[in-house]
Amino acid sequence: TDWARLAAGVSGQFLKTQGTGANPTWANDNTGMTLLSTLTTTSGTVANITGIDSSYRNLFIEVAGVSFTTAVPLQMSVTTNNGTNWGTAVTVSNTLPAVTDTITGHIDLKALQVTRNTATNGIVAQPALTANTLVFTTAVLLYPSTANGTINGVQFSGGTFDAGAIRIYGVK
């Protein structure tokens, strides 16, 4: 067998085998988390992201110091049609006891494919949020308002935002 030199790959690539008798190739690692959007929650009553690629199977949502002008809980809803219609908002945090309190933590959305849009089939949101010393860890179900399909948008609401940020990461 003659040895052949494989040219260097691009930064971040790995050497991928192609099976018995085939030459290896350089490939991209598409399995990690990718920052999709940072939503600044310093004003307004709604913050959302749409256009999430269907290749993402899970979302990891980081909530950092979010607060409202009144003592209300953080709510979240989803869409399968890029925001034309949003599902009913569900509460994903405790009600903040005072307007000076903030919400920090993360929310995991898994299995973004909704195969049947009914009262018992949705995607599970597993929050692990801390509102000062209050912790909200109960799983909730989110339902898009219309069509079945892959969740391609997430919306946050509750009251008038006055601080913080929400970062949405995609996981393939």
Side-chain angles (χ1 to χ4, degrees):
T1 303
D2 292 329
W3 289 94
R5 179 182 170 97
L6 181 62
V10 178
S11 177
Q13 289 185 320
F14 68 95
L15 197 55
K16 178 179 176 182
T17 63
Q18 300 294 307
T20 304
N23 292 328
T25 60
W26 291 107
N28 294 317
D29 181 9
N30 295 323
T31 59
M33 278 201 283
T34 302
L35 178 63
L36 303 177
S37 183
T38 299
L39 306 174
T40 304
T41 53
T42 55
S43 65
T45 58
V46 173
N48 65 53
I49 176 179
T50 57
I52 297 171
D53 189 281
S54 64
S55 64
Y56 292 106
R57 305 323 292 157
N58 301 309
L59 295 180
F60 179 84
I61 301 166
E62 178 187 6
V63 179
V66 171
S67 66
F68 300 100
T69 58
T70 56
V72 295
L74 180 64
Q75 295 186 319
M76 189 167 92
S77 56
V78 294
T79 182
T80 56
N81 56 20
N82 282 311
T84 301
N85 305 99
W86 292 95
T88 302
V90 297
T91 299
V92 293
S93 80
N94 288 305
T95 298
L96 297 175
V99 295
T100 56
D101 292 334
T102 62
I103 301 167
T104 299
H106 70 272
I107 301 168
D108 293 323
L109 292 184
K110 299 184 178 181
L112 300 181
Q113 183 70 32
V114 177
T115 56
R116 220 173 34 163
N117 186 21
T118 68
T120 58
N121 292 289
I123 62 167
V124 175
Q126 182 65 58
L129 299 174
T130 304
N132 264 5
T133 57
L134 301 175
V135 179
F136 186 86
T137 57
T138 304
V140 293
L141 280 175
L142 292 163
Y143 307 98
S145 64
T146 56
N148 300 330
T150 302
I151 302 301
N152 55 24
V154 181
Q155 182 175 77
F156 300 90
S157 59
T160 301
F161 292 106
D162 66 358
I166 299 172
R167 287 178 277 284
I168 296 103
Y169 298 86
V171 181
K172 293 189 177 185

